[in-house]
Amino acid sequence: DTEVTQTPKHLVMGMTNKKSLKCEQHMGHRAMYWYKQKAKKPPELMFVYSYEKLSINESVPSRFSPECPNSSLLNLHLHALQPEDSALYLCASSRISGYTEAFFGQGTRLTVV
Amino acid sequence: ELKVEQNPLFLSMQEGKNYTIYCNYSTTSDRLYWYRQDPGKSLESLFVLLSNGAVKQEGRLMASLDTKARLSTLHITAAVHDLSATYFCAVDINTNAGKSTFGDGTTLTVKP
């Protein structure tokens, strides 16, 4: 199984809503990531978890709150988002060793209204 | 700060032709990745290049890495329509593969 599964695939939320994005992998990868991608732009790293601990936070606003409940799951909790947060949110995973590519999920297309 | 530059950003080519996409980066690294992204889809790993002089080929695509020049190339041979996509190179300077800095991408359109 070389899949990273993200749910939901599409999400529309109001600026006062609270929602969560979910990501799951069963490849035994101990590094998991959240990326944000705007249209026609490259992915931008948001968070990195290594062995279920947050190791990198790329100065992301607190309205985005990551959580790694176990080695297979990664969540991104969303609260009080702005319209400019609308984007494709990609989850990825990789081995910790560093000499390997990341495997990306299909993404959640988020629209904030 | 690591900068990764790709060129060209847009490439329109006819089927059967050859072309090369370039990826330059600003800081010493020996880990470079090429990904493909179809419109509205996720990223698919194409190549992992881990040493100077590394060359990898898959079908009509061949990637190489010159760490001394800080340059990677993605060569397309006899392009076909199915290769139409956006191609990103990504460079690591840390131990975690996912903390990659991506180039801006090259959008390739292959026309009949």
Side-chain angles (χ1 to χ4, degrees):
Chain A
D1 182 3
T2 58
E3 279 196 356
V4 177
T5 304
Q6 287 187 244
T7 56
K9 289 191 170 26
H10 301 274
L11 178 62
V12 179
M13 61 185 290
M15 290 188 283
T16 58
N17 290 160
K18 287 185 181 181
K19 296 286 184 183
S20 296
L21 309 185
K22 298 186 183 301
C23 174
E24 187 169 6
Q25 56 89 14
H26 296 287
M27 293 179 277
H29 290 167
R30 300 307 294 275
M32 296 186 76
Y33 317 85
W34 282 113
Y35 281 86
K36 173 182 177 180
Q37 187 179 27
K38 302 283 272 185
K40 301 189 186 302
K41 295 292 185 184
E44 297 175 28
L45 183 67
M46 300 174 73
F47 303 104
V48 181
Y49 273 83
S50 299
Y51 296 107
E52 296 87 68
K53 293 190 189 310
L54 184 64
S55 60
I56 296 174
N57 176 340
E58 293 287 21
S59 303
V60 179
S62 60
R63 58 185 184 269
F64 295 91
S65 175
E67 178 196 20
C68 190
N70 60 54
S71 59
S72 299
L73 296 174
L74 185 67
N75 299 322
L76 186 62
H77 303 297
L78 314 172
H79 174 54
L81 294 193
Q82 303 297 310
E84 58 264 30
D85 296 321
S86 299
L88 180 67
Y89 287 84
L90 294 164
C91 173
S93 70
S94 73
R95 295 200 303 267
I96 288 284
S97 67
Y99 291 88
T100 178
E101 71 273 42
F103 289 79
F104 284 82
Q106 291 299 307
T108 294
R109 177 76 59 190
L110 174 67
T111 304
V112 182
V113 297
Chain B
E1 180 189 347
L2 173 62
K3 294 191 189 310
V4 181
E5 293 185 352
Q6 281 182 243
N7 70 82
L9 297 182
F10 298 94
L11 176 57
S12 179
M13 52 191 299
Q14 289 203 305
E15 282 189 329
K17 298 293 188 183
N18 305 331
Y19 209 84
T20 300
I21 299 170
Y22 298 88
C23 175
N24 290 90
Y25 53 98
S26 61
T27 304
T28 300
S29 172
D30 57 1
R31 297 196 294 277
L32 189 140
Y33 312 91
W34 283 97
Y35 292 92
R36 168 182 172 147
Q37 186 174 36
D38 291 296
K41 304 292 185 182
S42 189
L43 281 81
E44 173 192 357
S45 176
L46 294 175
F47 300 108
V48 180
L49 302 170
L50 299 177
S51 61
N52 186 40
V55 177
K56 292 200 174 178
Q57 182 162 6
E58 180 75 31
R60 300 174 188 276
L61 300 178
M62 183 173 70
S64 66
L65 179 62
D66 181 343
T67 58
K68 293 177 182 173
R70 298 178 187 168
L71 170 68
S72 179
T73 60
L74 181 66
H75 186 72
I76 303 155
T77 302
V80 293
H81 178 70
D82 285 352
L83 290 180
S84 297
T86 297
Y87 293 85
F88 291 99
C89 64
V91 180
D92 280 356
I93 55 172
N94 292 288
T95 55
N96 282 336
K99 184 173 168 49
S100 299
T101 299
F102 283 77
D104 283 341
T106 297
T107 299
L108 171 66
T109 303
V110 180
K111 298 179 178 179

